[in-house]
Amino acid sequence: MFGYRVPAPDEAMLISGGRRGLGGAPFRVVTGHGKFVLPVVRKVRFLTLSMCEAEVTETCVTRQGIALNVRAVIAFKVGNDNESIINAGQRFLSDQDQMSVLTGRIFAGHLRAIIGSMTVEEIVTERQKLAAEVLDTSKTEMAKIGLIVDSLQIQSIDDGDTGYIDAMSAPHKAAIQRQAQIAQAQANQAAAEAEQDAARKQAEYARQTAVVKAEYSAEVDRAQAHSSQAGPLAQAHAQQEVLAAQTELAQRQAKLRQQQLVAEVVKPAEAEAERVRILAIAEAERMKIQAEAAASHDRVALDRMLIDQLPQIVKEAAGGLSGANVNVLNGADGLGEIAAGLVAQGLTILDSVRQNLNGQSGQNTGGRPEEGNGRLELQGSRTPGKDTGEER
């Protein structure tokens, strides 16, 4: 709208040509809103409220007489209150660039004054203290011209060619270098130890790997050897079992053959031998009876008849042994007992017949035995304790 003026957010609008401003100021201050301004009658000017910067490079002499080149940067602006705006407008409205020049000069003077009261060591080590003292001493002067300082930074401090700062820092540099060398040596030692440890670990790992590989290889070799021997071992066990079975079969066959030989050869031979012995005994007894019969004239006929029949009796008794399968428990003694039993039975029969004949001859006048139905009946008896033809 015509005649309506609005200042920027970082500006203050100064209206002159009408009613005086606050406190008798030659202009009115408008910030943050617009205002109607009559053309020709009123005049409008704008004062910046934004941040400004001033750089100071000054040669200052310390309390020790050492010249130092100090470089500082000041950040400042016009204050936001009406008093500061009025003070700054009256001084810098026509040439606002002068604010930086004047601010630099003010801070240069305060830097010289404050550095002159400090030593190089204090200045170098306590830059923040230096900046705070400069700000405190310049605050009143800056307020008079409507400016406020936001910050002061000491950019650099240089003693030129005097070398004082370098000499002052030499012990620290030496200590730092020494510490750096120590740190480097420790780092090298740690690196060497780490390399040695890594080498040991690699060697240990290689050794363990070789051991494991050797164990695996040995296990594989054992498994292969066991596998290769499994077939021959199984075959050998099978052959051993076959041989054992064949041996047992051969033993059984030999035992069976032995039993067969005993049954087929030994026992028949023993029976035949016993039969022959019995016959021999019978023959000897026959001859004895013949001798006795020769001595007895009265019983010649009877004895002759008995003698003639006795071998036949014994032969008949012994004939049963020739084809019989007789089990003799006590060997040759048993066979002898059997033969003795047969002969004894024959003799017993013979004695019984003789007694009967003698009894009859007492009754007969002729002294001869009676003849019956044309045959001689013989009664035999067993000798006590003797069994003929039975198994013992």
Side-chain angles (χ1 to χ4, degrees):
M1 185 182 292
F2 180 75
Y4 189 81
R5 306 294 296 273
V6 179
D10 59 348
E11 289 179 340
M13 186 172 62
L14 305 179
I15 302 173
S16 60
R19 189 176 54 184
R20 287 184 175 270
L22 184 64
F27 47 80
R28 287 182 293 169
V29 177
V30 178
T31 57
H33 60 87
K35 191 137 181 101
F36 283 101
V37 178
L38 295 176
V40 181
V41 179
R42 303 284 189 269
K43 188 175 182 179
V44 177
R45 302 287 296 274
F46 295 94
L47 179 65
T48 180
L49 301 178
S50 61
M51 184 65 65
C52 298
E53 180 182 305
E55 184 175 343
V56 178
T57 302
E58 193 68 24
T59 300
C60 306
V61 180
T62 64
R63 189 176 62 186
Q64 300 162 316
I66 305 297
L68 298 177
N69 297 322
V70 181
R71 180 177 177 271
V73 177
I74 304 100
F76 67 94
K77 67 183 289 295
V78 177
N80 293 328
D81 59 293
N82 288 336
E83 184 180 0
S84 298
I85 293 173
I86 290 171
N87 292 332
Q90 290 178 343
R91 291 170 176 80
F92 305 111
L93 186 60
S94 60
D95 190 1
Q96 297 184 27
D97 293 337
Q98 287 297 319
M99 289 189 293
S100 298
V101 176
L102 182 60
T103 300
R105 290 175 182 176
I106 292 171
F107 274 89
H110 288 291
L111 275 174
R112 285 194 300 269
I114 294 173
I115 289 175
S117 62
M118 298 176 67
T119 63
V120 177
E121 288 79 6
E122 293 175 345
I123 294 170
V124 172
T125 58
E126 299 179 2
R127 290 189 181 187
Q128 191 63 32
K129 179 181 178 182
L130 174 61
E133 290 182 0
V134 172
L135 284 175
D136 290 338
T137 57
S138 62
K139 185 180 294 184
T140 303
E141 293 183 15
M142 295 293 289
K144 290 179 181 180
I145 61 177
L147 300 178
I148 58 174
V149 179
D150 288 340
S151 66
L152 171 64
Q153 296 292 331
I154 306 299
Q155 296 292 323
S156 63
I157 298 174
D158 185 13
D159 61 354
D161 296 334
T162 58
Y164 186 88
I165 296 176
D166 292 337
M168 183 180 64
S169 63
H172 300 286
K173 289 182 178 178
I176 292 172
Q177 290 177 355
R178 182 171 61 255
Q179 292 177 358
Q181 292 175 356
I182 293 173
Q184 185 64 37
Q186 292 177 351
N188 293 335
Q189 182 179 0
E193 291 177 355
E195 290 179 356
Q196 293 176 359
D197 186 54
R200 285 195 298 270
K201 289 182 178 179
Q202 289 179 356
E204 181 66 19
Y205 179 76
R207 185 185 68 81
Q208 293 178 356
T209 303
V211 171
V212 172
K213 287 183 177 179
E215 291 178 354
Y216 286 165
S217 179
E219 186 175 356
V220 170
D221 293 339
R222 286 195 298 269
Q224 290 179 352
H226 181 71
S227 177
S228 61
Q229 293 176 359
L233 286 175
Q235 185 176 2
H237 286 305
Q239 291 179 354
Q240 185 176 3
E241 292 178 357
V242 171
L243 291 175
Q246 291 178 351
T247 302
E248 184 179 359
L249 179 60
Q251 291 176 353
R252 291 181 179 179
Q253 291 178 351
K255 186 175 181 181
L256 179 61
R257 182 58 181 166
Q258 182 180 6
Q259 294 176 354
Q260 290 177 354
L261 289 174
V262 170
E264 295 176 358
V265 177
V266 176
K267 289 184 178 181
E270 290 178 352
E272 181 65 19
E274 186 64 20
R275 187 182 68 82
V276 171
R277 190 170 69 86
I278 292 171
L279 292 177
I281 293 172
E283 182 66 21
E285 186 66 20
R286 186 181 65 81
M287 293 177 67
K288 180 180 179 181
I289 292 173
Q290 286 178 354
E292 291 177 356
S296 179
H297 299 284
D298 294 334
R299 298 172 57 190
V300 173
L302 179 60
D303 290 340
R304 174 64 62 183
M305 180 184 61
L306 292 175
I307 290 170
D308 291 337
Q309 291 183 358
L310 181 60
Q312 184 65 29
I313 294 172
V314 176
K315 182 178 181 180
E316 292 295 332
L321 295 177
S322 62
N325 188 5
V326 180
N327 291 327
V328 180
L329 298 179
N330 53 354
D333 294 338
L335 292 174
E337 290 179 0
I338 293 173
L342 293 174
V343 174
Q345 287 181 5
L347 294 177
T348 300
I349 293 170
L350 182 61
D351 292 338
S352 178
V353 171
R354 284 179 176 177
Q355 291 176 3
N356 291 331
L357 291 177
N358 290 329
Q360 293 177 2
S361 63
Q363 295 177 3
N364 296 328
T365 56
R368 294 183 179 271
E370 293 182 356
E371 293 181 2
N373 297 326
R375 63 178 183 180
L376 179 65
E377 293 181 0
L378 300 178
Q379 293 179 355
S381 65
R382 294 184 179 179
T383 303
K386 302 292 183 175
D387 293 330
T388 58
E390 293 182 358
E391 293 182 1
R392 296 183 58 88

